[in-house]
């Protein structure tokens, strides 16, 4: 999503990311992803030049969630050791603490992408895995008969595409 990194928009982005993670059944990652994207957008708001426009991407590949923010400022952020009484300056240290990995890469003639990853363990389903028909030559009509009692005891399942 493209946006201006303004304080009023940061909460909206957190809600959008939270909704997408719920859709992907990755509820345990919501707090970490929301914290990380908040810190990255706050850095764009406070430090990015020449403007505050940016793009936020979330990507789920296999067992890894990547959250990235692209802005138009080529300056690379650094991890600071904030004074114990400082009220800011800990954003990248927080991201490093809650993420699996993080980094910065240049993007185009001007700009950069700051990203972090979280392990996306998708084992939250309480249903046993379903057999994949067509993966064997027997298919669902193999030599194993299914009794009406076994069929009635099986949990009902449905699939929704989209």
């Amino acid at each position: 999503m493209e946006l201006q990194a303004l304080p009023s928009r940061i909460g909206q982005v957190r809600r959008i990311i939270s909704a997408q993670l719920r859709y992907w059944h990755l509820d345990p990652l919501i707090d970490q992803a929301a914290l990380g994207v908040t810190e990255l957008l706050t850095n764009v708001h406070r430090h990015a030049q020449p403007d505050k426009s940016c793009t936020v991407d979330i990507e789920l590949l296999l067992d890894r969630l990547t959250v990235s923010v692209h802005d138009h400022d080529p300056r690379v952020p650094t991890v600071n050791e904030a004074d114990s009484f400082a009220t800011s300056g800990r954003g990248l240290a927080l991201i490093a603490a809650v993420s699996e990995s993080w980094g910065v890469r240049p993007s185009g003639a001007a700009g950069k992408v700051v990203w972090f990853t979280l392990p996306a363990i998708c084992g939250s389903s309480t249903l046993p895995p379903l057999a994949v028909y067509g993966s064997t030559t027997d298919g669902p009509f193999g030599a194993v008969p299914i009794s009406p009692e076994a069929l009635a005891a099986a949990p009902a399942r449905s699939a929704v595409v989209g």
Side-chain angles (χ1 to χ4, degrees):
M1 68 194 93
E2 295 179 23
L3 65 134
Q4 291 289 319
L6 302 173
S8 61
R9 297 297 310 271
I10 294 173
Q12 293 173 334
V13 173
R14 278 196 313 262
R15 287 187 294 277
I16 290 168
I17 287 177
S18 297
Q20 183 64 50
L21 293 180
R22 279 189 202 93
Y23 179 77
W24 285 339
H25 303 286
L26 294 173
D27 298 46
L29 300 182
I30 291 172
D31 290 342
Q32 293 164 293
L35 173 66
V37 80
T38 298
E39 294 301 330
L40 293 181
L41 290 174
T42 300
N43 282 351
V44 172
H45 174 70
R46 288 187 177 170
H47 305 293
Q49 300 294 329
D51 60 36
K52 306 302 179 189
S53 63
C54 63
T55 304
V56 177
D57 288 311
I58 57 173
E59 182 177 50
L60 178 61
L61 290 174
L62 299 176
D63 61 348
R64 188 151 286 97
L65 177 74
T66 302
V67 179
S68 59
V69 175
H70 170 260
D71 65 40
H72 300 110
D73 188 344
R75 295 177 297 158
V76 175
T78 58
V79 178
N80 297 325
E81 288 199 29
D83 180 345
S84 59
F85 296 107
T87 59
S88 64
R90 295 181 184 86
L92 291 177
L94 279 171
I95 289 171
V98 302
S99 67
E100 181 179 63
S101 61
W102 75 276
V104 181
R105 68 178 182 271
S107 178
K112 67 182 170 302
V113 176
V114 183
W115 56 269
F116 65 92
T117 64
L118 299 170
I121 308 302
C122 298
S124 61
S125 175
T126 57
L127 296 175
L130 293 173
V132 177
Y133 296 119
S135 62
T136 66
T137 56
D138 293 339
F141 307 107
V144 181
I146 299 176
S147 69
E149 296 81 20
L151 188 59
R157 304 202 179 170
S158 64
V160 177
V161 177

